[in-house]
Amino acid sequence: MSYGKFASIYDSLMQDIPYDQYVEWVASRKTSGKLLDLACGTGTLAQLFAELGYEVTASDLSEQMLTMANQRFHESNLRIPTYQLSMDNLEGLQGFDAVTIAIDSLNYLKNGEQVQKTFNEVHKALNEDGMLFFDVHSVYKVDEIYMDSPFILDDEEVSFIWHTEPGKAKHSVIHDITFFVRQQEDLYQRFEETHEQRTFPVATYITWLKAAGFVIESITADFTEAEPGRESERIFFCARKV
């Protein structure tokens, strides 16, 4: 999806995400090599991986996100090639030792067929024994936690009112968010974004990964090494190409 004006405030909204822990999680299982960061957003993770010594390539479907990512890489003197691609169509990208799909990006795919195709595309893009790392919202988070809206953030620079409702598909959610972004001392710009996400049970992801030619290395929850429980919110998958 195209994030529009959302790209300009994405980093402010994501400042509580423990990106360093994400990098540590990947680095503990794949210490070096060529890494493809799918749905890279504004490039925060790609930059961290590059600074750690990985040879990074980044892609995102959103032109606005890639513009900000390229600016970040330029300011950090990093040579990270970028591509405007959907994660379920990676034609021409091959030879990677690791692929990441971070911060519930996979949940933006509309149906199971797209998820399966993404796993197939990633499998083709990876070298033998290459690793896929991704996280998704749990069914519990989508079906229960997200249904407790509205959520409100009142901040000096960016505020929002966030309403949710169930999507048409099972385990899906529609986010309707109204943003107020400070322009001057007493002037705020208002704009609206609608995002739809969908998730699936852990067992379904396992089935699709195995069908694509992966073996499961680990499944953990909420930035820990613990196995997922009923009330886990974010599920982390590490899978290896065979």
Side-chain angles (χ1 to χ4, degrees):
M1 74 179 299
S2 174
Y3 278 80
K5 295 179 181 178
F6 185 65
S8 65
I9 61 171
Y10 182 81
D11 287 339
S12 296
L13 297 175
M14 301 293 282
Q15 60 185 346
D16 292 332
I17 294 292
Y19 287 108
D20 288 341
Q21 290 185 39
Y22 213 104
V23 172
E24 291 172 5
W25 172 58
V26 173
S28 68
R29 292 161 171 83
K30 178 62 74 172
T31 57
S32 63
K34 295 181 64 177
L35 184 146
L36 173 61
D37 186 22
L38 294 180
C40 68
T42 60
T44 299
L45 267 180
Q47 176 182 350
L48 292 174
F49 282 123
E51 290 173 345
L52 199 59
Y54 291 88
E55 184 181 344
V56 179
T57 298
S59 76
D60 201 284
L61 186 59
S62 167
E63 181 180 356
Q64 296 92 339
M65 288 290 192
L66 287 176
T67 296
M68 300 194 70
N70 282 317
Q71 180 179 343
R72 176 192 300 276
F73 304 152
H74 175 74
E75 292 174 352
S76 301
N77 294 315
L78 294 171
R79 293 185 177 180
I80 299 177
T82 58
Y83 297 87
Q84 186 176 0
L85 294 171
S86 172
M87 67 185 81
D88 63 350
N89 184 4
L90 304 180
E91 184 176 356
L93 292 181
Q94 293 180 331
F96 295 96
D97 302 299
V99 172
T100 56
I101 311 175
I103 317 301
D104 55 81
S105 295
L106 198 71
N107 293 131
Y108 280 97
L109 297 179
K110 294 181 179 180
N111 54 59
E113 289 74 19
Q114 284 184 291
V115 178
Q116 293 174 73
K117 188 177 180 183
T118 295
F119 291 161
N120 290 333
E121 290 286 291
V122 169
H123 190 272
K124 289 189 292 185
L126 283 168
N127 294 325
E128 199 69 25
D129 288 325
M131 308 289 285
L132 167 61
F133 302 88
F134 69 94
D135 66 277
V136 291
H137 292 316
S138 67
V139 168
Y140 170 76
K141 185 174 184 178
V142 170
D143 291 353
E144 299 189 41
I145 292 180
Y146 274 148
M147 294 304 112
D148 286 337
S149 74
F151 309 107
I152 297 173
L153 172 68
D154 186 7
D155 187 76
E156 288 188 6
E157 299 301 322
V158 179
S159 299
F160 63 69
I161 303 173
W162 173 7
H163 292 274
T164 61
E165 61 180 286
K168 292 182 179 179
K170 192 175 184 181
H171 309 314
S172 67
V173 57
I174 298 172
H175 310 275
D176 288 313
I177 314 172
T178 302
F179 292 98
F180 302 88
V181 182
R182 188 175 186 177
Q183 305 295 305
Q184 300 175 16
E185 184 173 351
D186 296 315
L187 179 64
Y188 287 77
Q189 179 188 23
R190 170 179 171 164
F191 67 92
E192 298 179 350
E193 291 269 336
T194 297
H195 294 218
E196 185 168 359
Q197 292 185 299
R198 184 180 183 184
T199 199
F200 300 88
V202 169
T204 302
Y205 288 113
I206 292 174
T207 297
W208 291 339
L209 285 166
K210 290 181 177 179
F214 289 97
V215 294
I216 311 301
E217 294 287 318
S218 66
I219 302 175
T220 55
D222 299 329
F223 290 98
T224 73
E225 290 297 320
E227 294 182 359
R230 197 197 81 82
E231 295 186 357
S232 298
E233 297 183 28
R234 189 180 293 273
I235 313 300
F236 291 76
F237 291 81
C238 172
R240 178 170 55 86
K241 175 178 177 174
V242 293

